[in-house]
Amino acid sequence: MEEARRRDIYFSFFMFTADLRPNDAGYTEVLVRHLKALTEIGYTGFDVHIAPGPAHADHHAEVESYFSLRRAFDRAGFRDVKFTTNVGTTRSFDPTSPYEEQRRQALSYLKSRVDITSVLGGENTIMSGPFLYPYGVFPLTDDGEGIWSDALQDWMKPRYAAAASIFRELAQYSAEKRVKLAIEPVKNWETPGPTMVSEALDFLESADVPVCGLTIDTAQVVMESQGPAIFRNNVARAARQSRLNYVHISAPDRGAVRDSWIPWEIMLDEIEPVYSGPYLVEVFNAIPPFESSMRMTRRRFWRPGEDAPEMGVDSAYDVARAALRTLEEKIASHGRRSHS
């Protein structure tokens, strides 16, 4: 498995939390215990969600709190561990808003998230997530009815256009900070757009944002897909433009990766030859806020040190260990097939 070991494989802290609570020293100790266990399993880095905070948050104070968190990680022995971040925009911080003042507030928010990403991950790290259109916000007519299909596509066009200058400025700022941006398309029941890789690429091309890329997530592609042929075209298109900045390995049900419905050969045959960055194993545990926002019916993977062990239910570490082994085996298998 020499080929697999050379590849950085990260683990998402969506297994444990959607908020690092950087000002909570007690919770930092919980995070450190998880980091220790997962690095011992073999992960070389981690993806952490940066909670949005209130609408009138002091972004400077937020950034400073993550400096403290990073120092705590360093003191605990994780100075050389790599971190990427997951960031979403919100109804308050909306770069697609028709109102310039709100767009500028969104830019300030997104720059602060670039700063936090730089604090946690250093140079050449990645800020990924649904940070173009606000996550979970769906438009309504004046009568309170949902806007869908062709009408929704028409409604989104001026939104994308409004965000263009914001993203050009954000991309320039992130390049100066040595942080790679990776817009993540997510499912149509999570956001009205972008929901497909092609839509994110269309936005970046039309907005003329040369130093911004995207994330390909296996779960999103399977559930919100136009099929293998377009997937192949999109991977090649992203690679040609140097926009393939992150790849998430996630099961369609967002649970355990082992023995899941991931079309490994189709995906790795396209991704492996053109992508040299880290893979992220992303498992959403049935914890707040995911259990309600994603309407999870499966049982929670119990988190050692946080939940009581449960007979017949895998622990978070068991799921993480099996996922790493599975991904390493699939990468190694791809390498053998490509050289045979």
Side-chain angles (χ1 to χ4, degrees):
M1 288 214 188
E2 289 184 1
E3 182 71 21
R5 290 195 185 100
R6 284 199 292 269
R7 172 73 72 171
D8 273 327
I9 299 178
Y10 298 175
F11 191 74
S12 170
F13 261 59
F14 279 150
M15 176 65 88
F16 307 107
T17 184
D19 186 357
L20 297 181
R21 290 148 53 181
N23 293 312
D24 184 338
Y27 191 62
T28 297
E29 294 179 4
V30 174
L31 299 176
V32 164
R33 288 198 297 271
H34 291 321
L35 290 173
K36 183 176 187 297
L38 291 162
T39 51
E40 289 175 353
I41 287 170
Y43 286 97
T44 58
F46 301 96
D47 187 75
V48 292
H49 182 250
I50 308 304
H56 300 291
D58 180 342
H59 296 319
H60 177 74
E62 287 182 302
V63 174
E64 287 299 313
S65 71
Y66 284 93
F67 268 113
S68 298
L69 182 63
R70 179 70 232 206
R71 286 193 291 268
F73 288 165
D74 291 347
R75 288 193 300 271
F78 301 106
R79 186 178 300 275
D80 296 326
V81 170
K82 301 169 184 175
F83 290 89
T84 58
T85 65
N86 185 288
V87 169
T89 46
T90 69
R91 191 184 299 273
S92 297
F93 302 120
D94 179 2
T96 73
S97 170
Y99 305 107
E100 182 177 2
E101 181 179 356
Q102 191 173 15
R103 293 197 302 273
R104 302 306 298 182
Q105 290 173 343
L107 177 61
S108 176
Y109 163 79
L110 286 169
K111 284 183 174 180
S112 75
R113 269 51 199 165
V114 169
D115 291 339
I116 291 169
T117 304
S118 177
V119 165
L120 292 175
E123 292 187 348
N124 298 315
T125 188
I126 305 164
M127 185 178 102
S128 178
F131 56 82
L132 175 48
Y133 182 84
Y135 181 82
V137 177
F138 288 85
L140 300 173
T141 67
D142 291 342
D143 296 328
E145 299 294 326
I147 300 174
W148 305 108
S149 190
D150 290 3
L152 177 61
Q153 294 295 319
D154 292 341
W155 186 89
M156 288 292 295
K157 284 180 182 177
R159 292 274 173 165
Y160 287 138
S165 63
I166 296 297
F167 268 76
R168 285 193 292 270
E169 191 169 341
L170 176 66
Q172 181 179 349
Y173 184 80
S174 67
E176 293 168 357
K177 291 285 186 175
R178 304 288 296 275
V179 170
K180 293 182 180 180
L181 298 178
I183 297 171
E184 182 181 1
V186 297
K187 296 180 296 302
N188 61 1
W189 55 266
E190 293 184 77
T191 186
T195 62
M196 292 180 286
V197 172
S198 54
E199 290 178 334
L201 287 169
D202 289 345
F203 166 74
L204 293 171
E205 290 172 6
S206 64
D208 189 23
V209 188
V211 288
C212 182
L214 54 83
T215 293
I216 288 180
D217 182 302
T218 59
Q220 308 291 4
V221 167
V222 169
M223 289 186 287
E224 189 74 17
S225 175
Q226 297 165 294
I230 291 180
F231 173 74
R232 294 185 184 100
N233 290 338
N234 282 338
V235 172
R237 179 181 170 193
R240 281 196 307 271
Q241 299 176 15
S242 298
R243 296 195 192 276
L244 183 51
N245 284 351
Y246 213 0
V247 175
H248 292 183
I249 304 299
S250 189
D253 74 342
R254 315 320 297 271
V257 168
R258 180 182 59 188
D259 195 30
S260 65
W261 291 103
I262 296 175
W264 292 103
E265 289 191 13
I266 292 174
M267 291 187 169
L268 290 181
D269 282 354
E270 303 307 316
I271 291 170
E272 270 287 286
V274 298
Y275 179 69
S276 60
Y279 285 111
L280 174 71
V281 171
E282 188 177 56
V283 178
F284 286 77
N285 204 355
I287 57 173
F290 308 131
E291 59 184 0
S292 59
S293 66
M294 292 188 165
R295 295 173 172 82
M296 289 186 173
T297 57
R298 57 176 161 83
R299 297 191 71 83
R300 176 182 302 184
F301 303 121
W302 61 273
R303 299 163 294 176
E306 296 190 69
D307 304 316
E310 194 167 344
M311 291 292 293
V313 179
D314 288 334
S315 78
Y317 297 166
D318 292 334
V319 173
R321 185 179 295 106
L324 180 62
R325 186 180 304 119
T326 298
L327 180 52
E328 287 180 336
E329 290 171 352
K330 296 299 183 181
I331 294 173
S333 176
H334 173 270
R336 290 191 295 270
R337 284 190 292 106
S338 63
H339 289 99
S340 62

